Amino acid sequence: MIPQSEYLQRRQRLMAQLPQGSAVLVASGVNQSRGNDTEFPFSQDSDFYYLTGFNEPNAWLYMSNFALNADGSDPSSSQNHHSVLFCQPKDKAMEIWHGLRLGVEQACDALLVDEAMEIDDLEEALPELLNNHAQVYFLLGSNGDDEALIFSALQVLRSAPKQSKSAPSCIVDLAPVLHEMRLIKSAAEIQVMQKAADISCEAHKRAMLYAKPGVYEYQLEGEILHEFVMSGARTPAYNTIVGSGVNACILHYTNNHSALKDGDLVLIDAGANYQGYAADITRTFPANGKFTEEQATLYNLVLQSQLQAMEILVPGGTFKQATDKAVEIICTGLIELGILSGSLEDNVKNMTWRAFFMHGLGHWLGLNVHDVGMYKINGEDRPLQPGMVLTVEPGIYIDHDADVEDKWKGIGIRIEDNILITEQGNVVLTAAVPKTIADIEALMAQR
Ligand code: GLY
Ligand code: MN
Ligand code: MN
């Protein structure tokens, strides 16, 4: 559990980085209708959550470092900004139908903000809150309705009589500075992410133990979701992928409607959302518990490429260097097996391997499964730093129509782990789920 004091510290750190006279606005998520009086499970906006830890819809966070810095006080002191939370008011009738609300009266104590107001007062309050600021920061392009509200407040200021008010002349995207913060995880975030990973590892083991020919892919999904929920992770971090046989070659397959067949591999890509944070694990295993020779050969190729890529994913290393290594190993193996032909150099240069490994090696992981943060800085691949969490997920996918020997067709393999970059190198957060052929077969032998 991340303490409220950490959310306050994040707001302070953010405001300390912005020039004096800055206002910041961040909106919460809203409920999404799924038709007549029902809604999809609420999913909070991850930027809003990162700054507040508040999990209700229809809320806005406002921060200003104007008033408190105008007197020359230290902008990095604990009092470096003024914050206002706009939220839903307490309302007995609404709470009987939809659940309890924090309410305006409780918000300051619960969320450590300076002021709280009703969300219905936002539109009227906004011009005065932005008045006299030099710049306003918000997440550009994320929500047209929110932007319209801000632009209309600016228009109110610009059209004030005799220029009695002053609108910010500068509109700045909040994403670069906020997302750079989110990219480096705190000790508390790492604890929560380890828990998301642990729950997800148990879920993958549970699915391996349940799998056998005749079981439906959606039943394995059920086993996964059962483990998530029973461990306190109410929702998956993304739609669970269970692809058996050639279905594993569909990268974001979520139909999950086929029955497992004897001799098939099963690819499961599933991760829990625990306290807002995602895990993202893929394992590929045989439906009957024993890899065939062809499956084992390709599996070990993917595994080697992952293990060697991970050695590069340490402070100072880059995604590009690790990808090059994984590609070199996959290409070398595919040439040896006759799946690719020609020299390693030509295959790498002509990207022939893209026919079999058509996605990236990995991505940032955090509140979003594909988390925020820049991959390049000034066009250059950025060196990894301690505190970053990322996935490492090479794969080989050979569809039925591939121009290869029949024995390779219908095999899709991905192996995906989550790693934390540390001073010493990296830590695999998802090491608890079997990954070698021997370990997978040993677990499945217990069925
Ligand atoms: N689960 C989506 C991904 O691996 O990126
Ligand atoms: Mn995944
Ligand atoms: Mn992933």
Side-chain angles (χ1 to χ4, degrees), residues 115-300:
E115 250 186 276
M117 295 173 74
E118 292 189 13
I119 187 67
D120 285 347
D121 294 333
L122 174 69
E123 189 170 356
E124 199 185 326
L126 214 40
E128 207 44 55
L129 289 172
L130 298 179
N131 188 21
N132 282 328
H133 286 75
Q135 52 272 323
V136 54
Y137 285 78
F138 55 93
L139 292 149
L140 298 181
S142 61
N143 183 316
D145 291 344
D146 295 348
E147 286 188 356
L149 201 59
I150 297 169
F151 281 115
S152 110
L154 297 181
Q155 191 48 35
V156 170
L157 292 177
R158 283 190 210 104
S159 55
K162 302 197 196 70
Q163 298 179 355
S164 55
K165 299 193 188 292
S166 160
S169 59
C170 189
I171 291 169
V172 193
D173 191 7
L174 181 62
V177 53
L178 182 59
H179 292 175
E180 206 55 26
M181 288 175 64
R182 282 180 54 184
L183 182 54
I184 306 295
K185 272 65 181 179
S186 71
E189 285 181 294
I190 290 164
Q191 261 190 7
V192 174
M193 291 191 75
Q194 181 66 69
K195 179 78 178 168
D198 291 344
I199 293 170
S200 306
C201 287
E202 285 306 309
H204 276 265
K205 287 200 275 187
R206 186 182 175 100
M208 284 182 194
L209 287 169
Y210 192 82
K212 61 180 181 203
V215 162
Y216 282 85
E217 293 164 344
Y218 57 74
Q219 292 177 316
L220 294 183
E221 180 182 8
E223 291 296 305
I224 294 265
L225 297 179
H226 175 89
E227 189 69 35
F228 287 175
V229 172
M230 294 306 276
S231 304
R234 287 284 309 282
T235 55
Y238 54 90
N239 293 333
T240 298
I241 297 167
V242 184
S244 60
V246 75
N247 293 339
C249 297
I250 302 169
L251 299 178
H252 285 175
Y253 174 79
T254 49
N255 274 342
N256 300 355
H257 60 187
S258 301
L260 274 52
K261 293 200 287 294
D262 201 9
D264 277 354
L265 286 179
V266 186
L267 182 156
I268 299 187
D269 184 343
N273 168 351
Y274 183 72
Q275 294 183 8
Y277 286 81
D280 182 9
I281 304 177
T282 307
R283 287 294 184 268
T284 309
F285 57 88
N288 64 14
K290 282 298 258 187
F291 284 83
T292 67
E293 198 179 318
E294 285 77 21
Q295 291 166 351
T297 301
L298 290 177
Y299 187 91
N300 280 328

